[in-house]
Amino acid sequence: MTSPKTEIYFATRKAASAHVYIIKGTGRVRINNVPAEMIVHESAREAILAPLDIAGDARKKVDISVRVKGGGFMGQAGASATGISRALIGWTKSRREPRNHPLTKTAREDLRKRIGDFDKYLISGDARRKEPKKFGGPGARRRKQKSYR
């Protein structure tokens, strides 16, 4: 008997980074090897489980394990939620019809649409992240120059 294929997805939020492992299973969700139901902060728990609440019935057909580090607890919750939604979206995509996928093709398309309609930032990332420095622009230690008029 072969072991089911594990897929890995990555997400960040502020200073937190999350690696999400998704596999065909029974509906277990673990964050840093702790069941999601045992997370102390209720607001963080709700943020993490939001994509799974949207998934509905598909939640019971996958096991999700999240490894998250860095940042505060809400940054970690945001990174975990983004990673879980990306994992669910990626897990439902396929170039051809897989034989042993637990969801039908129409159910996978419906799940992708529901997550995309709920929050576009869960899939693509946070639009508020910092814009990279432009080439030729002022540096971090720009000094004020006196005007010689």
Side-chain angles (χ1 to χ4, degrees), residues 45-60:
R45 185 179 340 117
E46 289 175 3
I48 292 169
L49 297 178
L52 294 171
D53 292 339
I54 296 165
D57 196 31
R59 175 184 184 168
K60 294 180 174 47

Side-chain angles (χ1 to χ4, degrees), residues 61-111:
K61 297 185 180 187
V62 294
D63 287 342
I64 296 175
S65 177
V66 181
R67 203 181 66 213
V68 63
K69 61 182 176 181
F73 70 93
M74 283 310 289
Q76 289 185 353
S80 299
T82 304
I84 289 172
S85 63
R86 285 180 184 170
L88 287 171
I89 293 289
W91 183 68
T92 58
K93 288 183 180 176
S94 66
R95 291 180 179 82
R96 57 194 162 128
E97 188 69 29
R99 279 182 246 143
N100 56 354
H101 201 286
L103 297 176
T104 63
K105 187 173 184 176
T106 56
R108 292 194 308 261
E109 290 171 359
D110 182 48
L111 177 62

Side-chain angles (χ1 to χ4, degrees), residues 130-148:
K130 185 180 172 192
E131 188 174 345
K133 182 183 179 303
K134 302 293 187 280
F135 177 76
R141 294 187 45 141
R142 183 177 179 183
R143 296 183 183 174
K144 281 191 169 181
Q145 238 181 348
K146 289 184 179 180
S147 176
Y148 292 105

